[in-house]
Amino acid sequence: MPRVLGVDIPNDKPTIIALQYLYGVGPKIARELCHRTGIDPQARARELREDELARVTALLDKDYTVEGQLRRQTSQNIARLRDIGCYRGLRHRRGLPVRGQRTRTNARTRKGPKKTVAGKKGVKDLR
């Protein structure tokens, strides 16, 4: 498997798709990388030569924020929001949706599995 920035990219996929396995590289940046380094986007990743891989790695290092550096930057941004105590920081701290989505229903991705509250339903009123 070819390695770019310490990450294995899949052999059997076209280069433009294989580059998207890097954190922070999407379709647009993958297309740009192929164009700027002169690599055929449809060529399989295993067909890339060492010098082509080196060119891609050098270009990513020089012009783009990807992988560990991007992850670190994202976590620092979230930590800053938490530290200053703004609304978005509080939502991150509590593990709730940050961008205004409803939470009465449909927030399961952020809130996790349901926590059943005992005694809410089926309590009979004895009069």
Side-chain angles (χ1 to χ4, degrees):
M1 279 190 157
R3 288 181 73 83
V4 178
L5 296 174
V7 177
D8 289 331
I9 58 174
N11 270 333
D12 52 340
K13 304 233 184 227
T15 306
I16 197 164
I17 303 298
L19 286 173
Q20 293 178 44
Y21 279 73
L22 298 169
Y23 184 77
V25 177
K28 182 175 187 273
I29 292 178
R31 210 173 18 257
E32 250 175 57
L33 283 169
C34 289
H35 177 72
R36 288 175 64 182
T37 54
I39 296 172
D40 176 25
Q42 295 307 315
R44 300 288 167 179
R46 69 171 155 262
E47 297 166 7
L48 293 178
R49 296 188 311 273
E50 284 301 316
D51 66 311
E52 292 173 330
L53 284 173
R55 283 200 312 258
V56 169
T57 304
L59 191 61
L60 279 168
D61 273 339
K62 189 174 69 131
D63 292 346
Y64 299 98
T65 307
V66 290
E67 279 302 321
Q69 188 181 0
L70 182 59
R71 291 178 203 272
R72 207 170 12 266
Q73 194 176 30
T74 306
S75 64
Q76 286 172 347
N77 289 341
I78 292 171
R80 181 183 57 82
L81 291 171
R82 285 180 179 163
D83 293 344
I84 64 176
C86 69
Y87 181 78
R88 282 173 58 202
L90 296 176
R91 303 298 283 183
H92 274 293
R93 195 179 296 149
R94 292 181 184 154
L96 293 168
V98 176
R99 297 186 175 179
Q101 296 92 331
R102 68 181 293 136
T103 56
R104 185 171 180 172
T105 60
N106 300 334
R108 285 292 142 217
T109 302
R110 287 290 298 194
K111 290 168 81 172
K114 281 186 181 173
K115 300 168 197 80
T116 307
V117 178
K120 197 154 189 194
K121 197 174 180 185
V123 176
K124 292 193 169 82
D125 190 17
L126 301 171
R127 283 189 218 179

